[in-house]
Amino acid sequence: MGLSTPAGGERKPRPLVPIGPQAAILYGIIDLGTHTEITQWGEKKKPKVMFLFEYPMLPKVTFDEAKGPQRMNQIIEYAFYSDEKSNLIKGLKSWRGVPKVDLAKDLPAYLGQACQIMIVQETSKRTGELISKPMNNGAIILPLTANFGPPENPIVFFDMDKFTWPAFHALYPWVQKKIKMSIEWNGILQKF
C-alpha cells in the first residue's frame, strides 16, 4: 500500500467557482443535527444546517459521465443558531432585506429562490488545495431580482425533528454519513 495514491486512483480536481459575485439558487436545506467540535476553548456542541446552492450562470460541468453536464454547486454549512450575531441569520436577513428572521417559519420560503453570493478563493487548511467559498462564511447573501426558473437539482428539505427513513435515504450518502455522526443519531435509531 502506498500513501501517495489512494486506492481507486487519483482524485479528479473539482472546478472552482470564480471569484466575485455569483448568481445562485438554493435547492437544499438539510438539518445535520448537533456535532461536537474541539476548539481552542475545549469541546463545543453545535447544531448545524447545510445549504445547497447551484450556479445557473456558470458553465455546466460533467462530474459523473452517467449524468452528463450539470450546474456547478456548492454547500455552506452554518451553525444553526437564531442569535442575531450568527452568520445564518445575517445571511438570511441580507438576502431577503428583512429586519428579522424566524427560522421555524421562514426557512422553507428560501428554497428555490435566487440570490447572489460573493465568492473568494483560498487554500484549504485541511487539504492544501485551492478552494472557492462564500465570503464571510456566507454571512452576506444578497437578493437577486433575476428569475432563473426552478433549480435543476431536486429540492431537498430535511428536518431531523420530522425524521423519516425515505427522506433520509433520499439524501446523498456523504450527507447521510454527516448526519450519522450527530449527537441525535443514536436517539433516532432507538426511536425508528
Side-chain angles (χ1 to χ4, degrees):
M1 177 182 106
L3 295 176
S4 60
T5 305
E10 200 171 305
R11 196 175 122 208
K12 187 177 176 183
R14 187 168 171 85
L16 296 173
V17 177
I19 294 172
Q22 299 296 336
I25 301 172
L26 178 67
Y27 71 91
I29 300 173
I30 300 171
D31 178 358
L32 296 174
T34 306
H35 292 261
T36 304
E37 294 182 356
I38 306 299
T39 69
Q40 60 187 1
W41 299 283
E43 198 173 272
K44 188 170 185 179
K45 294 178 183 357
K46 279 188 184 178
K48 293 191 167 200
V49 65
M50 176 186 289
F51 279 37
L52 305 168
F53 290 95
E54 65 180 36
Y55 294 98
M57 298 298 291
L58 297 178
K60 291 186 175 186
V61 178
T62 301
F63 301 105
D64 178 350
E65 293 297 329
K67 294 180 181 178
Q70 297 173 287
R71 285 182 175 171
M72 289 183 72
N73 53 53
Q74 189 167 42
I75 64 169
I76 302 177
E77 275 189 32
Y78 291 100
F80 194 59
Y81 295 124
S82 59
D83 182 279
E84 293 295 314
K85 294 180 182 178
S86 79
N87 286 342
L88 174 61
I89 295 297
K90 289 177 185 175
L92 295 176
K93 285 170 52 176
S94 67
W95 182 351
R96 299 293 283 269
V98 294
K100 189 158 180 61
V101 173
D102 180 347
L103 292 175
K105 291 191 309 188
D106 299 339
L107 211 48
Y110 287 87
L111 279 169
Q113 300 300 310
C115 64
Q116 184 171 271
I117 301 174
M118 184 63 74
I119 299 295
V120 295
Q121 291 178 353
E122 65 182 40
T123 302
S124 168
K125 293 174 187 166
R126 194 179 51 121
T127 64
E129 296 174 320
L130 188 63
I131 59 169
S132 298
K133 65 178 234 160
M135 180 183 276
N136 297 329
N137 294 320
I140 301 170
I141 299 176
L142 301 173
L144 193 63
T145 55
N147 183 357
F148 297 104
E152 288 184 359
N153 287 292
I155 296 278
V156 177
F157 188 80
F158 180 79
D159 183 348
M160 295 233 336
D161 290 339
K162 298 173 183 163
F163 184 89
T164 66
W165 284 110
F168 179 75
H169 289 299
L171 298 172
Y172 299 112
W174 58 272
V175 175
Q176 292 177 20
K177 186 176 177 182
K178 277 185 172 250
I179 292 170
K180 288 178 180 179
M181 294 169 49
S182 71
I183 292 170
E184 294 86 357
W185 185 248
N186 284 335
I188 285 172
L189 289 178
Q190 291 173 2
K191 187 176 178 182
F192 297 97

